[in-house]
Amino acid sequence: MSSIKVKLKEKDIAKIQEICKSFDNKPGDLINVLHKVQGEFGYLPAEVQEVVAENLNVSLAKIYGVVTFYSFFTMIPKGKHPVSICTGTACYVRGAEKVLEEFKKELGIKVGESTPDGKFSLTCLRCVGACGLAPVVQVGEKTYGRIAPDDVKNILAEYEDN
Amino acid sequence: MIKLIIDKKTVEVEKGTTILQAAKNIGIHIPTLCYMNLGDLNIENKPGGCRVCVVEVDGRRNLAPACATDCAEGMVVHTHSIRVLNARKTVVQLILSDHPFDCLICAKSGNCELQDLAHKLGIREIPYQGEQSTYREDTSPAIIRDVDKCIMCRRCEVMCNEVQTVGVLSAINRGFQSVVAPAFEMNLDHSVCTYCGQCVNVCPTGALTEVDHTNQLINDLADPGKTVIVQTAPAVRAALGEEFGMEPGTLVTGKMAAALRELGFDYVFDTDFAADLTIMEEGTELLDRLSKHLNGDTNVHLPILTSCCPAWVKFFEHQFPEMKDIPSTARSPQQMFGAIAKTYFADKINVDRKKLVVVSIMPCVAKKYECSRDEFKVDGNPDVDYSISTRELANLIKQANIDFLGLEDADFDNPMGESTGASVIFGTTGGVIEAAVRTAYEVHTQKELPKVDFEELRGMEGIRSATIDFDGLPISIGIAHGLGNARKLLEDIKAGKSQYHAIEIMACPGGCIGGGGQPYIHGDTSILKARQKAIYQEDAQKTIRKSHENKYVQKLYEEFLGKPMSEKAHHLLHTHYFDRKKEVFID
Ligand code: SF4
Ligand code: SF4
Ligand code: SF4
Ligand code: FES
């Protein structure tokens, strides 16, 4: 049997320990701890969950259970260019779903995943308050409005080189 | 006290009693599925999730789950109104709409609580068509997880997390996708699972079952080129009869030996013989460590911990590897038997070890894993080829059309069939240490025991302790069964708070009588007590009740091993442990 691949740096482990400690290592605060830790690392890879498990004295299976239960936790790192598609009512009515399908097809990933090269990740958002521009897509900080499935290729092309 | 009416009968109960319990008190059995109550062991699971137990309460709009609803003064409850019956049916039909129709070929068939419910409720059609969830099957050396059959009752979670404190299984994902799985959905054999099999024991469906070795056994028995021998663990004889409709607690030692002979084994031996051998080695080790300790040797560690339970061994290898030098190095009786069978006995009958198949009948599923461990193989050939559970043996006897109840009692073969009362009690919590005390006392004091029975070591309490007077030397003994209880004693040792000289640990609640391979008890813990009684009864019936008085064990030392802890004994009968903390791997 191989052993755990410890990719975490000492200082990352120390950071997680610090967060756990700020909640007195209380198992009851698991969700809050995971929230904070995710805020720090952007996602919750297996190795990070291991450290939390050890510090809070909660089984790894329980932690994984919580991480997979709540949709705001993710085990996948955000891509360099996170793509978010608004699926609020207005966007939905105006065809956001088709746009989403197109992104999935073009990137070859599902919602909540990242491309293997780490360049793009895909998430859905609730209303971003730009209903006038529906359907709305965000890539990183940039917002695109009135998007049709045909526009998807062009948007992605903008990020081709970096 | 609270007064209420259930099905027109008045019943009085204490505050905080559930409708389910109140009904049971007056003989009304409301069907349940997710609910589990292992009374004597203090284990309860009531997630109120499945809704099979719904009842109608006058004045309430919604039906109430009886397992999770407390009684209230003046309540009027109906447990079988039309509305209740329809709702119950619907609930079961919905569960079945996402359940494979594998009943005919399912390992749990005949013992499945879901199948039983569908039968009782007269379900003849499933009007709901849903997507069927599909997950991969996960096979380990001992346990198979077929999660398609999981109904999310979460009983296994309670067992694994709260009772055993191993923490392998947890509910993951949400909604339709939710299942019970190890962390990161890795396979059981990559997890910290101990293979205690307690989750298998409580799973109402075929989602968790043991790896089945019966076909392999049938093939080996039919192979004229192989000599097939069998050993049977102490706890099997106290439970096997249940599978044939006998009262729990009926001893079937003689019938079992007869059935094994009918099945075609070349030699029918007894693990009890090896249990006596275990006591010789473990008892000697205990005295050795004790005297060194008393002489001020700081290199020896006390307490010494028993090591005959493979689930317990795997537990400390994962969870307390820093203490892996405290448990006795003695192998379990199963493995001692295998090592002797494939050397001493193979030589005696002049059969090559590769042509000799050693099968064990065990109350246990962890034994399946234990015999597959590399350190118990010689050039890839295992000392014990495979292990069959009590349940599998019962099934095989039925397959072979043997009239179990009509069998005449038979005896075990020699030389490895002779055993003492001390070895029989290995089957229950407290038994191993009592057997060790009987021998260690006489060896240490050179005096005969005034009384062989040590009542103070017996019982069902999760953690017990007693001090035994070794002729002026007080020996302090601890006992734990269930891994959660074991963990408490280990934490004490770690913190330097343990006063014990020796501790016996068994992974299963009750010890091996409650093992993961025993006939299902379906929540009736009185069955465990009956099995325990049977074990002590067999001990009391034996003329020889101390391991060191086993004539064939004495002969084995004379002819082959020399003396306990000799070099040869070390080589064949002792083992070493591994740090498995980092062995769990993610990916
Ligand atoms: S066999 Fe024991 S340790 Fe393994 S998952 Fe089941 S209850 Fe947990
Ligand atoms: S595996 Fe069995 S015991 Fe565990 S939740 Fe599923 S059905 Fe219940
Ligand atoms: S207590 Fe007995 S049945 Fe249970 S795991 Fe240990 S050896 Fe097996
Ligand atoms: S048995 Fe009561 S809700 Fe499942």
Side-chain angles (χ1 to χ4, degrees):
Chain A
M1 280 191 196
S2 75
S3 56
I4 295 175
K5 286 179 265 149
V6 187
K7 297 180 206 141
L8 293 176
K9 298 193 196 80
E10 286 295 322
K11 74 169 191 349
D12 293 339
I13 295 175
K15 184 76 214 168
I16 301 169
Q17 278 168 345
E18 187 191 313
I19 293 173
C20 292
K21 215 164 179 189
S22 72
F23 290 96
D24 296 329
N25 291 332
K26 275 209 300 281
D29 273 321
L30 176 61
I31 293 181
N32 295 329
V33 167
L34 289 175
H35 235 301
K36 265 237 155 119
V37 174
Q38 178 162 302
E40 195 67 33
F41 294 88
Y43 70 119
L44 294 168
E47 292 77 5
V48 166
Q49 294 181 41
E50 268 264 303
V51 182
V52 175
E54 210 153 282
N55 279 280
L56 298 193
N57 206 2
V58 177
S59 83
L60 202 51
K62 268 264 143 67
I63 295 192
Y64 180 71
V66 168
V67 169
T68 53
F69 185 82
Y70 294 102
S71 54
F72 49 78
F73 291 129
T74 171
M75 286 183 63
I76 294 155
K78 264 200 189 147
K80 194 164 165 214
H81 307 291
V83 179
S84 317
I85 293 137
C86 176
T87 48
T89 316
C91 289
Y92 194 84
V93 170
R94 296 228 201 134
E97 209 184 350
K98 290 215 179 74
V99 174
L100 175 62
E101 284 308 315
E102 192 62 25
F103 271 110
K104 284 202 226 164
K105 210 175 88 200
E106 280 301 317
L107 296 172
I109 56 174
K110 292 193 220 113
V111 175
E113 292 182 352
S114 302
T115 52
D117 60 4
K119 210 157 159 191
F120 295 103
S121 56
L122 196 56
T123 46
C124 290
L125 294 174
R126 291 282 146 215
C127 187
V128 292
C131 303
L133 293 174
V136 174
V137 169
Q138 289 179 330
V139 180
E141 303 288 294
K142 195 165 168 191
T143 304
Y144 300 82
R146 301 214 176 83
I147 297 300
D150 287 348
D151 301 325
V152 167
K153 267 205 180 81
N154 289 337
I155 295 176
L156 292 175
E158 284 182 35
Y159 302 89
E160 198 102 283
D161 305 324
N162 56 46
Chain B
M1 295 296 267
I2 290 172
K3 230 188 222 161
L4 70 159
I5 296 171
I6 304 177
D7 292 346
K8 303 202 177 102
K9 287 187 198 136
T10 305
V11 52
E12 226 177 317
V13 292
E14 291 212 16
K15 204 167 172 246
T17 309
T18 61
I19 298 179
L20 182 71
Q21 186 57 46
K24 198 172 160 203
N25 292 352
I26 50 171
I28 298 170
H29 291 275
I30 300 170
T32 55
L33 189 55
C34 63
Y35 180 75
M36 166 176 81
N37 185 348
L38 302 180
D40 291 325
L41 304 169
N42 262 326
I43 300 164
E44 202 182 26
N45 176 47
K46 50 173 182 182
C50 76
R51 306 266 144 177
V52 161
C53 64
V54 284
V55 293
E56 196 169 351
V57 180
D58 279 0
R60 286 203 192 184
R61 251 185 55 215
N62 296 329
L63 298 177
C67 74
T69 308
D70 283 350
C71 296
E73 183 63 42
M75 233 181 198
V76 180
V77 179
H78 310 277
T79 73
H80 57 255
S81 64
I82 298 279
R83 209 179 143 207
V84 165
L85 293 187
N86 283 338
R88 235 174 241 159
K89 255 192 188 164
T90 305
V91 162
V92 174
Q93 282 169 331
L94 279 170
I95 295 172
L96 292 176
S97 74
D98 181 21
H99 197 89
F101 293 146
D102 280 358
C103 277
L104 285 175
I105 50 167
C106 179
K108 223 31 170 292
S109 186
N111 265 311
C112 172
E113 294 175 29
L114 180 60
Q115 184 187 52
D116 199 39
L117 257 181
H119 172 68
K120 270 194 195 135
L121 298 181
I123 308 269
R124 292 293 173 267
E125 58 169 355
I126 294 150
Y128 312 98
Q129 290 218 334
E131 206 184 319
Q132 297 249 337
S133 39
T134 47
Y135 300 90
R136 69 179 155 72
E137 210 177 82
D138 169 10
T139 306
S140 68
I143 291 171
I144 303 173
R145 286 175 55 240
D146 184 0
V147 188
D148 286 354
K149 295 176 184 162
C150 175
I151 55 161
M152 284 303 282
C153 68
R154 304 176 72 168
R155 292 183 188 179
C156 57
E157 228 187 309
V158 169
M159 265 301 175
C160 191
N161 292 279
E162 283 160 43
V163 180
Q164 300 297 59
T165 66
V166 179
V168 174
L169 297 172
S170 170
I172 60 155
N173 300 333
R174 65 191 307 164
F176 181 65
Q177 297 294 330
S178 65
V179 286
V180 168
F184 314 118
E185 287 157 79
M186 59 191 168
N187 289 338
L188 269 188
D189 70 347
H190 293 172
S191 75
V192 295
C193 175
T194 66
Y195 301 125
C196 70
Q198 288 304 312
C199 55
V200 174
N201 269 3
V202 297
C203 178
T205 71
L208 294 168
T209 52
E210 72 264 47
V211 173
D212 192 331
H213 286 96
T214 37
N215 282 337
Q216 193 173 350
L217 174 55
I218 292 170
N219 287 331
D220 282 337
L221 287 170
D223 187 339
K226 286 178 178 162
T227 303
V228 190
I229 70 171
V230 65
Q231 52 162 322
T232 62
V236 178
R237 66 208 64 189
L240 181 63
E242 292 162 27
E243 292 276 355
F244 299 92
M246 297 167 106
E247 269 304 302
T250 312
L251 280 169
V252 293
T253 320
K255 287 194 194 311
M256 176 180 69
L260 292 169
R261 204 157 282 134
E262 291 235 346
L263 283 171
F265 285 100
D266 295 298
Y267 295 88
V268 178
F269 289 139
D270 200 348
T271 313
D272 290 17
F273 168 83
D276 280 330
L277 195 54
T278 302
I279 289 304
M280 297 305 290
E281 294 296 325
E282 205 170 273
T284 309
E285 197 185 345
L286 164 70
L287 289 176
D288 182 56
R289 276 210 228 169
L290 197 62
S291 62
K292 280 187 185 148
H293 173 79
L294 294 175
N295 290 332
D297 184 342
T298 48
N299 286 326
V300 299
H301 296 288
L302 284 178
I304 186 170
L305 311 176
T306 58
S307 56
C308 38
C309 168
W312 147 239
V313 166
K314 195 160 184 279
F315 179 78
F316 75 70
E317 285 182 327
H318 282 292
Q319 317 261 350
F320 296 89
E322 66 279 10
M323 296 203 275
K324 70 182 165 50
D325 58 338
I326 333 186
S328 160
T329 58
R331 293 185 190 180
S332 71
Q334 163 174 281
Q335 293 309 135
M336 285 202 181
F337 182 96
I340 296 299
K342 289 214 174 170
T343 53
Y344 174 73
F345 181 68
D347 284 351
K348 253 191 200 295
I349 58 167
N350 205 9
V351 172
D352 178 41
R353 69 174 285 143
K354 294 206 176 65
K355 296 250 161 65
L356 182 67
V357 181
V358 177
V359 181
S360 69
I361 314 287
M362 294 282 143
C364 180
V365 295
K367 293 281 175 190
K368 289 174 185 280
Y369 152 79
E370 182 185 43
C371 66
S372 76
R373 286 176 65 134
D374 285 338
E375 64 271 29
F376 301 135
K377 291 178 184 161
V378 175
D379 299 330
N381 178 268
D383 290 347
V384 174
D385 290 82
Y386 44 89
S387 166
I388 300 271
S389 69
T390 311
R391 292 189 293 260
E392 285 170 271
L393 174 63
N395 192 278
L396 192 60
I397 293 172
K398 288 173 195 167
Q399 271 187 54
N401 223 2
I402 294 169
D403 172 19
F404 189 76
L405 300 181
L407 287 172
E408 293 275 341
D409 283 359
D411 278 330
F412 291 106
D413 291 313
N414 277 325
M416 301 171 74
E418 186 68 30
S419 69
T420 69
S423 65
V424 176
I425 55 177
F426 264 61
T428 169
T429 166
V432 175
I433 208 74
E434 180 170 342
V437 164
R438 288 181 193 173
T439 287
Y441 179 96
E442 295 204 348
V443 172
H444 177 76
T445 62
Q446 301 288 328
K447 287 184 189 159
E448 198 185 321
L449 267 180
K451 194 167 131 280
V452 181
D453 297 278
F454 288 88
E455 297 292 342
E456 59 271 50
L457 297 171
R458 303 181 182 179
M460 265 298 178
E461 279 288 300
I463 296 178
R464 308 193 294 283
S465 59
T467 304
I468 310 283
D469 178 15
F470 271 41
D471 202 24
L473 177 67
I475 299 293
S476 174
I477 286 174
I479 296 166
H481 55 121
L483 290 171
N485 293 323
R487 180 185 289 279
K488 287 185 196 142
L489 292 189
L490 283 175
E491 298 284 2
D492 281 353
I493 298 174
K494 207 167 152 183
K497 288 194 299 194
S498 184
Q499 300 301 323
Y500 298 119
H501 295 109
I503 298 179
E504 175 202 287
I505 294 176
M506 292 290 154
C508 295
C512 302
I513 47 170
Q518 291 282 56
Y520 296 111
I521 62 168
H522 297 292
D524 184 356
T525 44
S526 71
I527 295 176
L528 296 187
K529 286 190 178 153
R531 291 177 188 165
Q532 187 179 52
K533 222 172 122 194
I535 294 263
Y536 285 119
Q537 182 194 329
E538 174 122 323
D539 167 34
Q541 283 166 7
K542 291 259 187 183
T543 33
I544 299 180
R545 299 181 61 196
K546 299 168 216 158
S547 296
H548 55 287
E549 292 175 357
N550 183 326
K551 291 272 175 315
Y552 283 90
V553 168
Q554 290 170 351
K555 203 164 137 208
L556 175 66
Y557 279 106
E558 275 160 34
E559 287 179 9
F560 189 64
L561 291 170
K563 57 182 185 28
M565 307 257 290
S566 69
E567 208 183 303
K568 198 162 200 169
H570 250 290
H571 177 62
L572 290 172
L573 307 180
H574 289 255
T575 185
H576 51 279
Y577 306 112
F578 300 86
D579 177 349
R580 296 189 195 274
K581 193 142 208 161
K582 287 292 168 208
E583 213 177 63
V584 179
F585 66 98
I586 298 165
D587 254 343

